[in-house]
Amino acid sequence: MYSSSSVSLFGLLCGLVVLLILPFSSRASDPDPLQDVCIADLSAPISINGFPCKPDSEVTSDDFFTDFSKNPTTFNVFKRAVTFGDVSGFPAVNTQGVSLFRIDLDVGGINPPHTHPRGTEAGIVTRGKVLVGLVTTNNTFFSKVLTPGMVFLIPRALIHFQLNVGKGPATFIPIFNTQNPGVSDSLTTLFDTTPPIPNKVLTKSFRVSNDVINTIRAARASN
């Protein structure tokens, strides 16, 4: 038997998927598919519109399902764990214009400020208490603390974050209108490039000393 809260969360999750992909031609950010099924062949080189398809003879029922039920056992330096449901983790989404993830935040964990250049994000909190914030292009900050069953929307390419502000672990499920939304981490973009962005550019942009930039670089390198 399922509890009423579980059924309600499932209904909200299904609603998010419908809002993002229907009507498909007007909401999906990816080109329309030209076949019913194109399970990604991840061993093949990527093409212009996703990965090549697995041969139909190799497609099985398991290709259409994935598992988001398992709680993570390890977290990264941000106390964050990601279960992938984009084309790399769930090949069935190849050419379908949709992807989803499970994000777990340990106590005090954060999904640091970042953008998704190729997709709009809608998400539902399924556990814990999460502060969701976003910044528009006119530098207006919007935020709200969400609890299980509450939903958020992040417009395409806007900077946003999620922070666990509760006393226990938190989980949310973001869904995108693209099979590969991409991610641009604000800190990585500035401090972890190859080759490095010159310190002179960063010191002038942030109006800080060279020592501050070097300290940030050293801290990120140690992690």
Side-chain angles (χ1 to χ4, degrees):
M1 296 291 292
Y2 294 96
S3 67
S4 59
S5 61
S6 297
V7 173
S8 298
L9 288 177
F10 177 76
L12 281 170
L13 191 58
C14 291
L16 286 177
V17 174
V18 171
L19 285 173
L20 279 172
I21 67 175
L22 294 176
F24 191 90
S25 59
S26 64
R27 292 186 182 274
S29 66
D30 298 346
D32 289 346
L34 300 178
Q35 62 284 309
D36 291 338
V37 176
C38 181
I39 306 299
D41 180 358
L42 298 181
S43 64
I46 193 169
S47 63
I48 293 175
N49 182 23
F51 286 87
C53 309
K54 270 172 66 171
D56 288 345
S57 59
E58 296 180 12
V59 175
T60 68
S61 293
D62 286 343
D63 286 323
F64 296 93
F65 304 92
T66 192
D67 186 1
F68 275 12
S69 66
K70 298 176 182 177
N71 292 327
T73 57
T74 59
F75 295 86
N76 66 10
V77 67
F78 298 112
K79 297 185 177 181
R80 175 191 63 189
V82 181
T83 304
F84 289 90
D86 61 353
V87 68
S88 67
F90 190 18
V93 305
N94 191 42
T95 76
Q96 298 301 314
V98 65
S99 61
L100 67 164
F101 300 77
R102 170 176 168 160
I103 309 293
D104 288 274
L105 300 174
D106 205 356
V107 178
I110 188 171
N111 196 20
H114 61 284
T115 66
H116 300 290
R118 294 187 290 274
T120 297
E121 174 181 354
I124 179 171
V125 174
T126 60
R127 178 174 64 158
K129 186 181 292 186
V130 181
L131 171 65
V132 179
L134 65 132
V135 181
T136 64
T137 54
N138 65 1
N139 288 330
T140 302
F141 175 57
F142 297 96
S143 67
K144 189 180 181 87
V145 174
L146 305 185
T147 53
M150 299 181 74
V151 173
F152 63 86
L153 178 79
I154 309 295
R156 178 175 176 173
L158 292 189
I159 292 176
H160 60 285
F161 66 84
Q162 292 92 5
L163 172 67
N164 183 354
V165 294
K167 296 181 179 180
T171 305
F172 62 95
I173 308 292
I175 303 172
F176 298 86
N177 62 337
T178 171
Q179 69 181 40
N180 185 8
V183 60
S184 179
D185 181 316
S186 303
L187 295 175
T188 300
T189 301
L190 292 173
F191 294 99
D192 298 347
T193 60
T194 303
I197 295 175
N199 273 23
K200 182 181 293 186
V201 173
L202 298 175
T203 56
K204 287 181 176 293
S205 299
F206 289 107
R207 290 187 279 182
V208 297
S209 70
N210 207 51
D211 289 341
V212 172
I213 300 301
N214 288 335
T215 298
I216 295 174
R217 289 193 192 278
R220 291 188 60 77
S222 65
N223 294 320

